[in-house]
Amino acid sequence: GQQLNQSPQSMFIQEGEDVSMNCTSSSIFNTWLWYKQDPGEGPVLLIALYKAGELTSNGRLTAQFGITRKDSFLNISASIPSDVGIYFCAGIYGGATNKLIFGTGTLLAVQP
Amino acid sequence: DSGVTQTPKHLITATGQRVTLRCSPRSGDLSVYWYQQSLDQGLQFLIQYYNGEERAKGNILERFSAQQFPDLHSELNLSSLELGDSALYFCASSGSLGSPLHFGNGTRLTVT
Protein backbone atom coordinates (compact mmCIF):
# COMPACT_ATOMS: atom_id res chain seq x y z
CA GLY A 1 0.00 0.00 0.00
CA GLN A 2 0.90 3.65 -0.31
CA GLN A 3 3.08 5.12 2.44
CA LEU A 4 5.14 8.21 3.02
CA ASN A 5 8.91 7.99 3.45
CA GLN A 6 9.76 8.66 7.07
CA SER A 7 13.22 8.82 8.63
CA PRO A 8 14.96 7.80 10.69
CA GLN A 9 13.43 4.38 11.16
CA SER A 10 14.50 4.35 14.82
CA MET A 11 16.33 6.52 17.32
CA PHE A 12 17.95 5.67 20.63
CA ILE A 13 18.76 8.76 22.66
CA GLN A 14 19.53 9.95 26.17
CA GLU A 15 16.99 11.81 28.26
CA GLY A 16 17.33 15.55 27.67
CA GLU A 17 18.47 15.30 24.06
CA ASP A 18 16.61 16.91 21.19
CA VAL A 19 15.09 14.75 18.46
CA SER A 20 14.29 15.43 14.83
CA MET A 21 12.44 13.26 12.33
CA ASN A 22 11.06 13.97 8.89
CA CYS A 23 8.71 12.77 6.25
CA THR A 24 8.82 13.15 2.47
CA SER A 25 6.45 12.38 -0.35
CA SER A 26 6.42 12.49 -4.12
CA SER A 27 2.89 13.87 -3.92
CA ILE A 28 1.53 17.16 -2.63
CA PHE A 29 -0.58 17.13 0.50
CA ASN A 30 -3.05 19.73 1.77
CA THR A 31 -2.65 18.71 5.40
CA TRP A 32 0.20 17.14 7.37
CA LEU A 33 -0.36 15.47 10.72
CA TRP A 34 1.92 13.93 13.30
CA TYR A 35 0.74 11.08 15.54
CA LYS A 36 2.29 9.11 18.38
CA GLN A 37 1.41 5.50 19.05
CA ASP A 38 2.07 3.72 22.34
CA PRO A 39 2.07 -0.10 22.50
CA GLY A 40 -1.43 -1.57 22.37
CA GLU A 41 -3.08 1.77 21.71
CA GLY A 42 -4.29 3.77 18.76
CA PRO A 43 -2.37 6.68 17.22
CA VAL A 44 -2.84 9.93 19.13
CA LEU A 45 -2.77 13.24 17.28
CA LEU A 46 0.14 15.49 18.28
CA ILE A 47 0.16 18.32 15.76
CA ALA A 48 -1.87 19.28 12.67
CA LEU A 49 -0.48 21.53 9.89
CA TYR A 50 -2.73 23.11 7.29
CA LYS A 51 -0.65 25.59 5.27
CA ALA A 52 2.62 25.36 3.38
CA GLY A 53 5.39 26.88 5.50
CA GLU A 54 3.35 26.67 8.70
CA LEU A 55 5.36 26.13 11.87
CA THR A 56 3.36 24.90 14.87
CA SER A 57 4.33 24.03 18.43
CA ASN A 58 2.67 21.88 21.05
CA GLY A 59 4.71 22.06 24.26
CA ARG A 60 8.12 20.55 23.55
CA LEU A 61 7.03 19.49 20.06
CA THR A 62 7.46 21.62 16.95
CA ALA A 63 6.44 20.65 13.44
CA GLN A 64 6.61 22.35 10.07
CA PHE A 65 4.69 21.95 6.81
CA GLY A 66 7.24 22.13 3.98
CA ILE A 67 7.04 24.91 1.43
CA THR A 68 6.77 22.41 -1.43
CA ARG A 69 3.89 20.67 0.44
CA LYS A 70 5.78 17.42 -0.06
CA ASP A 71 7.52 17.19 3.30
CA SER A 72 7.25 17.84 7.01
CA PHE A 73 9.45 17.54 10.06
CA LEU A 74 8.85 17.03 13.77
CA ASN A 75 11.24 18.16 16.50
CA ILE A 76 11.06 17.12 20.15
CA SER A 77 13.13 19.17 22.55
CA ALA A 78 14.54 18.01 25.89
CA SER A 79 13.24 14.44 25.53
CA ILE A 80 11.86 12.60 28.56
CA PRO A 81 11.21 8.87 29.11
CA SER A 82 7.49 9.15 28.35
CA ASP A 83 8.34 10.32 24.81
CA VAL A 84 9.06 6.68 24.01
CA GLY A 85 6.82 5.33 21.28
CA ILE A 86 6.34 5.22 17.54
CA TYR A 87 5.85 8.53 15.75
CA PHE A 88 3.97 8.63 12.46
CA CYS A 89 3.62 11.40 9.96
CA ALA A 90 0.47 11.39 7.87
CA GLY A 91 -0.82 13.39 4.94
CA ILE A 92 -4.25 14.23 3.58
CA TYR A 93 -4.57 14.89 -0.17
CA GLY A 94 -7.82 16.74 0.15
CA GLY A 95 -10.64 16.69 -2.35
CA ALA A 96 -13.80 14.71 -1.74
CA THR A 97 -12.18 12.30 0.70
CA ASN A 98 -10.27 12.81 3.91
CA LYS A 99 -8.11 9.72 3.44
CA LEU A 100 -4.97 9.71 5.57
CA ILE A 101 -1.74 8.25 4.16
CA PHE A 102 0.73 7.26 6.86
CA GLY A 103 4.48 7.32 7.03
CA THR A 104 6.46 4.23 7.89
CA GLY A 105 7.02 5.37 11.47
CA THR A 106 9.97 6.32 13.69
CA LEU A 107 10.58 4.28 16.82
CA LEU A 108 11.92 6.48 19.60
CA ALA A 109 13.65 5.04 22.65
CA VAL A 110 14.76 7.36 25.46
CA GLN A 111 17.22 6.19 28.05
CA PRO A 112 16.89 7.87 31.47
CA ASP B 1 -9.46 9.35 25.36
CA SER B 2 -10.09 10.04 21.67
CA GLY B 3 -13.83 9.49 21.95
CA VAL B 4 -13.73 6.70 19.35
CA THR B 5 -14.82 3.34 20.77
CA GLN B 6 -13.93 -0.01 19.26
CA THR B 7 -15.13 -3.44 20.30
CA PRO B 8 -14.01 -6.06 20.92
CA LYS B 9 -10.49 -5.28 22.09
CA HIS B 10 -9.24 -8.76 21.25
CA LEU B 11 -10.55 -11.45 18.94
CA ILE B 12 -9.14 -14.93 18.39
CA THR B 13 -10.65 -17.09 15.71
CA ALA B 14 -9.82 -19.88 13.29
CA THR B 15 -9.08 -19.75 9.59
CA GLY B 16 -12.15 -19.73 7.40
CA GLN B 17 -14.30 -18.00 10.00
CA ARG B 18 -16.06 -14.65 9.83
CA VAL B 19 -15.87 -11.83 12.37
CA THR B 20 -17.41 -8.39 12.84
CA LEU B 21 -15.56 -5.44 14.33
CA ARG B 22 -17.55 -2.51 15.65
CA CYS B 23 -16.76 1.19 15.91
CA SER B 24 -18.56 4.15 17.44
CA PRO B 25 -17.20 7.50 16.21
CA ARG B 26 -16.71 10.65 18.26
CA SER B 27 -19.90 12.53 18.93
CA GLY B 28 -20.72 14.69 15.92
CA ASP B 29 -18.22 13.10 13.52
CA LEU B 30 -19.80 11.96 10.28
CA SER B 31 -16.79 10.21 8.75
CA VAL B 32 -15.53 6.81 9.80
CA TYR B 33 -12.34 5.20 8.52
CA TRP B 34 -10.90 1.71 8.90
CA TYR B 35 -7.18 0.97 8.94
CA GLN B 36 -5.21 -2.25 9.21
CA GLN B 37 -1.87 -2.33 11.02
CA SER B 38 0.39 -5.33 10.67
CA LEU B 39 4.06 -5.60 11.56
CA ASP B 40 5.37 -5.54 8.03
CA GLN B 41 2.85 -3.20 6.42
CA GLY B 42 2.38 -0.28 8.77
CA LEU B 43 -0.97 1.52 8.88
CA GLN B 44 -2.91 0.76 5.71
CA PHE B 45 -6.13 2.54 4.78
CA LEU B 46 -9.02 0.18 4.10
CA ILE B 47 -12.20 2.18 3.62
CA GLN B 48 -13.99 5.42 4.52
CA TYR B 49 -17.67 6.16 5.09
CA TYR B 50 -19.31 9.54 5.33
CA ASN B 51 -22.80 9.84 6.77
CA GLY B 52 -23.69 6.30 5.77
CA GLU B 53 -22.19 6.28 2.30
CA GLU B 54 -18.91 4.83 1.11
CA ARG B 55 -16.55 7.69 0.27
CA ALA B 56 -13.16 6.11 -0.44
CA LYS B 57 -11.66 2.68 -0.77
CA GLY B 58 -8.09 1.63 -0.15
CA ASN B 59 -6.39 -1.73 0.09
CA ILE B 60 -9.47 -3.60 1.19
CA LEU B 61 -9.79 -7.23 0.18
CA GLU B 62 -12.98 -8.54 -1.43
CA ARG B 63 -13.41 -10.81 1.61
CA PHE B 64 -13.77 -7.68 3.73
CA SER B 65 -16.74 -5.36 3.78
CA ALA B 66 -17.94 -2.48 5.90
CA GLN B 67 -20.98 -0.34 6.47
CA GLN B 68 -22.01 2.72 8.40
CA PHE B 69 -25.41 2.75 10.03
CA PRO B 70 -27.90 5.63 10.48
CA ASP B 71 -26.64 6.20 14.03
CA LEU B 72 -23.16 6.60 12.45
CA HIS B 73 -21.56 3.59 14.06
CA SER B 74 -19.68 1.34 11.67
CA GLU B 75 -18.91 -2.34 11.33
CA LEU B 76 -16.08 -4.04 9.50
CA ASN B 77 -16.83 -7.59 8.42
CA LEU B 78 -13.96 -9.97 7.72
CA SER B 79 -14.81 -13.33 6.17
CA SER B 80 -12.98 -16.48 5.06
CA LEU B 81 -10.23 -15.46 7.41
CA GLU B 82 -6.63 -16.36 6.67
CA LEU B 83 -3.57 -16.39 8.91
CA GLY B 84 -2.32 -13.26 7.17
CA ASP B 85 -5.38 -11.32 8.31
CA SER B 86 -4.01 -11.29 11.84
CA ALA B 87 -3.43 -7.62 12.63
CA LEU B 88 -4.60 -4.62 14.58
CA TYR B 89 -7.68 -3.02 13.03
CA PHE B 90 -8.23 0.63 13.84
CA CYS B 91 -11.25 2.78 13.38
CA ALA B 92 -10.96 6.56 13.19
CA SER B 93 -13.44 9.37 12.83
CA SER B 94 -13.34 12.97 11.71
CA GLY B 95 -15.62 15.93 11.27
CA SER B 96 -15.30 18.14 8.20
CA LEU B 97 -13.03 17.50 5.24
CA GLY B 98 -9.41 18.31 6.02
CA SER B 99 -9.86 17.86 9.75
CA PRO B 100 -7.62 15.39 11.59
CA LEU B 101 -8.61 11.80 12.21
CA HIS B 102 -9.01 10.58 15.77
CA PHE B 103 -8.33 6.91 16.37
CA GLY B 104 -9.79 4.28 18.64
CA ASN B 105 -7.62 1.80 20.50
CA GLY B 106 -8.11 -0.91 17.93
CA THR B 107 -9.18 -4.53 17.78
CA ARG B 108 -6.41 -7.08 17.81
CA LEU B 109 -7.41 -9.97 15.56
CA THR B 110 -5.54 -13.25 15.81
CA VAL B 111 -6.34 -15.94 13.26
CA THR B 112 -5.12 -19.41 14.20
Side-chain angles (χ1 to χ4, degrees):
Chain A
Q2 187 178 11
Q3 283 181 319
L4 303 175
N5 299 313
Q6 190 172 341
S7 64
Q9 190 172 11
S10 60
M11 302 179 75
F12 299 87
I13 62 171
Q14 297 283 331
E15 182 177 0
E17 287 185 25
D18 297 343
V19 168
S20 184
M21 57 192 80
N22 67 77
C23 210
T24 60
S25 169
S26 57
S27 304
I28 289 174
F29 287 102
N30 289 339
T31 302
W32 280 93
L33 306 169
W34 284 91
Y35 287 85
K36 181 189 178 209
Q37 186 177 21
D38 291 328
E41 298 184 11
V44 174
L45 181 68
L46 298 174
I47 291 181
L49 302 157
Y50 299 102
K51 290 195 306 189
E54 180 182 352
L55 184 71
T56 296
S57 292
N58 178 8
R60 293 178 297 105
L61 277 58
T62 302
Q64 184 157 32
F65 191 144
I67 291 291
T68 65
R69 294 165 62 194
K70 294 183 178 181
D71 62 310
S72 177
F73 72 75
L74 174 71
N75 289 339
I76 305 174
S77 62
S79 58
I80 58 178
S82 62
D83 290 335
V84 164
I86 302 178
Y87 291 79
F88 290 98
C89 63
I92 300 178
Y93 286 119
T97 79
N98 216 36
K99 184 172 73 172
L100 210 55
I101 305 298
F102 277 88
T104 47
T106 295
L107 171 65
L108 178 63
V110 180
Q111 185 169 356
Chain B
D1 183 8
S2 68
V4 178
T5 304
Q6 288 187 249
T7 56
K9 195 171 175 60
H10 301 279
L11 205 47
I12 302 174
T13 189
T15 53
Q17 295 299 305
R18 172 190 169 94
V19 297
T20 297
L21 282 53
R22 183 187 167 99
C23 170
S24 293
R26 290 190 320 163
S27 176
D29 283 356
L30 298 179
S31 282
V32 169
Y33 311 75
W34 287 96
Y35 282 80
Q36 180 191 55
Q37 186 177 37
S38 51
L39 280 174
D40 58 346
Q41 291 291 318
L43 277 153
Q44 297 294 319
F45 170 71
L46 295 178
I47 198 164
Q48 175 198 357
Y49 280 83
Y50 178 80
N51 203 20
E53 293 187 0
E54 182 183 304
R55 181 60 65 93
K57 242 180 180 177
N59 303 314
I60 188 165
L61 300 172
E62 284 192 15
R63 300 183 285 109
F64 297 179
S65 65
Q67 53 184 329
Q68 185 179 27
F69 296 86
D71 67 353
L72 300 179
H73 91 271
S74 177
E75 291 180 356
L76 179 66
N77 301 297
L78 315 176
S79 61
S80 302
L81 284 167
E82 302 175 358
L83 295 177
D85 297 328
S86 296
L88 271 166
Y89 291 84
F90 287 104
C91 170
S93 73
S94 73
S96 57
L97 285 177
S99 58
L101 277 62
H102 296 269
F103 285 79
N105 280 330
T107 293
R108 180 175 291 281
L109 173 66
T110 302
V111 182
T112 62

